[in-house]
Amino acid sequence: LAGIAVGTTAVATGFTTLVSASIKARGEMEQLEGGVNKIFGESAQKVMENASKAYKTAGISASQYMEQVTSFSARLIQATGGDTAKATEIANQAIIDMADNVNTYGSSMESVQNAYQGFAKANYTMLDNLKLGYGGTRSEMQRLLKDAQKLSGVKYDINHLDDIYQAIHVIQEDLKITGTTAKEAEQTLTGSIASLKASWSNFLSGTGDLSQVVESARNCRKKYLENHKRGYARNRKTN
């Protein structure tokens, strides 16, 4: 009876903690959704759809995705002439590019985010944070745009934020950086753990369901077992 009482108390405590975390996460999400609705208008639903998939595409939760989007969206929409649909597409690409850059070079997400937010303010001093071979100056950003133009055949204007983000995408694509986050989520233990954490956050906030968590957990377990087998085989060969 004592054991049952302890177990029941533990379950009750865990459930209370879960509910409390869920209420907090949902409250934060409602605030973020309000901001996205106000900024993106008719395109807000698409932004939220992209956010719900970010646990796979960018290794971040929906709330982290929306926080990043709203940090530079006003300038981006202005650069696209008020075309919120186009801004939504470019913003999604930019966030995935950030994650790919971090996963490729091992940089901190904060440093890369700061660089992108700086570009929205015509501040290029943190361009070297991206480790793409360009220094942190306006002239170096112009050099990046010219290099991207040579690759894509498209002329990019430093005064247009959408052009800057798209040019960076072209350079990263040329360097084979694009898509690394999605691949890591599927193929590596570290990436699958990040995806699992993000899907759990989505579940708590109500932007994702339990099936996403289960899917991520299965993939995480699969990668763990694969790593364990490789380690066992390696040790056995060494011994």
Side-chain angles (χ1 to χ4, degrees):
L1 289 174
I4 291 172
V6 171
T8 302
T9 301
V11 171
T13 301
F15 183 73
T16 301
T17 302
L18 177 63
V19 171
S20 176
S22 181
I23 291 172
K24 180 181 179 182
R26 186 59 204 163
E28 292 173 350
M29 181 54 64
E30 286 177 350
Q31 287 186 322
L32 290 168
E33 287 176 348
V36 168
N37 277 315
K38 185 175 181 180
I39 295 170
F40 286 91
E42 295 179 354
S43 300
Q45 187 57 42
K46 183 61 178 178
V47 174
M48 293 176 195
E49 287 176 11
N50 291 337
S52 68
K53 300 173 186 175
Y55 76 99
K56 278 186 174 182
T57 59
I60 58 176
S61 67
S63 60
Q64 289 173 312
Y65 181 99
M66 290 187 189
E67 286 174 0
Q68 289 184 33
V69 164
T70 53
S71 69
F72 57 72
S73 56
R75 176 73 192 279
L76 187 57
I77 292 172
Q78 182 182 23
T80 59
D83 188 340
T84 56
K86 183 178 179 181
T88 297
E89 182 181 343
I90 296 173
N92 186 58
Q93 175 186 285
I95 289 176
I96 294 173
D97 284 343
M98 289 185 215
D100 288 343
N101 187 286
V102 169
N103 284 317
T104 300
Y105 295 117
S107 308
S108 73
M109 178 59 82
E110 184 180 6
S111 69
V112 174
Q113 287 175 2
N114 287 340
Y116 272 74
Q117 290 169 14
F119 304 153
K121 301 173 184 175
N123 179 356
Y124 312 108
T125 57
M126 290 178 282
L127 175 57
D128 55 347
N129 288 5
L130 304 186
K131 301 180 181 179
L132 298 176
Y134 301 91
T137 64
R138 180 183 176 86
S139 61
E140 282 291 273
M141 176 59 83
Q142 288 176 323
R143 184 167 72 88
L144 183 151
L145 298 181
K146 288 180 180 178
D147 288 345
Q149 181 179 343
K150 292 175 185 177
L151 293 168
S152 68
V154 177
K155 186 175 181 179
Y156 301 100
D157 187 342
I158 196 170
N159 296 311
H160 292 168
L161 183 62
D162 55 329
D163 281 3
I164 289 174
Y165 286 172
Q166 290 186 87
I168 291 172
H169 177 74
V170 169
I171 296 297
Q172 293 202 163
E173 197 167 40
D174 183 60
L175 294 172
K176 311 300 182 187
I177 296 172
T178 304
T180 54
T181 304
K183 288 179 183 177
E184 284 200 359
E186 286 291 328
Q187 301 174 6
T188 70
L189 180 59
T190 302
S192 62
I193 289 173
S195 180
L196 176 59
K197 289 171 65 178
S199 66
W200 177 250
S201 295
N202 290 352
F203 173 65
L204 289 179
S205 67
T207 55
D209 55 40
L210 197 56
S211 66
Q212 292 180 353
V213 180
V214 172
E215 177 192 6
S216 299
R218 283 176 177 167
N219 189 50
C220 195
R221 178 177 180 274
K222 179 182 177 182
K223 295 306 161 190
Y224 171 78
L225 292 175
E226 288 176 356
N227 283 7
H228 180 71
K229 287 178 181 177
R230 281 197 294 268
Y232 175 77
R234 190 163 50 247
N235 290 337
R236 186 176 181 181
K237 184 178 180 180
T238 302
N239 293 333

